[in-house]
Amino acid sequence: MAAEQIAHHREEAEIYEGEAVCKQKSRLLLEEILLPRGLLPLENIVEMGHNRTTGFVWLKQKHKKEHRFRAIGRTVSYETEVTAFVEEHRMRRVTGVKTKELFIWVNISEIFVDDPASGKISFANSAGIARSFPLSTFSLQEEQQHNNNNNVLLIR
């Protein structure tokens, strides 16, 4: 299914290859659509594509990846192909992303920030059930460390 969608949107897409450039472009895309840059902690990305006309994005990585977001105690699984339609504050029709709820894996179909002032990001499945978490949970590690260093209060 993902391969068919990629083929359909490939013709007019900006396509990047190679791990370093793909990681950089994926973070820039997340920044562009006003989502946290640590939302897709993928490794060994071999290809990234973005069709700006349709909003379709894909990322291909060598191996499936599981990542634990320690701050919220959630494990997320990223398949070798992750796709979505993107727009400001939102990723729709997401494929290739699952989260573990209790003992089962649940597909994530939408990621969005309804109210940026709330500081919350929501993840929904196709049944419409959503969970919200602090946006800061999905910042890049170096951004979190920088913020922590800036929040140090010196008392003399």
Side-chain angles (χ1 to χ4, degrees), residues 19-146:
E19 183 175 5
V21 71
C22 289
K23 186 174 268 194
Q24 176 194 22
K25 293 295 184 179
S26 67
R27 288 177 177 174
L28 286 173
L29 172 69
L30 288 168
E31 192 174 288
E32 184 181 310
I33 63 171
L34 305 174
L35 290 177
R37 295 185 328 141
L39 190 60
L40 300 171
L42 305 180
E43 294 176 356
N44 299 313
I45 305 170
V46 294
E47 182 179 280
M48 180 200 162
H50 182 197
N51 184 323
R52 290 187 183 275
T53 305
T54 63
F56 185 75
V57 171
W58 72 88
L59 295 116
K60 293 182 181 182
Q61 55 182 349
K62 288 181 184 175
H63 308 284
K64 177 179 163 178
K65 170 152 192 223
E66 283 188 13
H67 180 80
R68 180 112 174 126
F69 290 98
R70 284 181 175 71
I72 57 170
R74 293 282 190 263
T75 300
V76 179
S77 174
Y78 300 90
E79 295 295 331
T80 56
E81 293 181 346
V82 174
T83 68
F85 287 88
V86 300
E87 59 192 69
E88 192 171 290
H89 294 293
R90 191 171 300 270
M91 296 175 79
R92 296 181 191 270
R93 295 169 51 191
V94 177
T95 67
V97 181
K98 296 187 266 189
T99 184
K100 198 164 196 174
E101 291 289 330
L102 295 175
F103 300 109
I104 60 170
W105 287 99
V106 178
N107 290 315
I108 299 297
S109 61
E110 189 168 1
I111 303 169
F112 57 95
V113 176
D114 269 342
D115 177 14
S118 73
K120 299 282 187 183
I121 185 168
S122 300
F123 299 82
N125 64 22
S126 58
I129 299 170
R131 285 203 176 222
S132 297
F133 301 98
L135 275 166
S136 60
T137 301
F138 303 95
S139 298
L140 292 174
Q141 292 270 357
E142 55 265 24
E143 289 173 354
Q144 288 175 355
Q145 288 172 346
H146 177 73

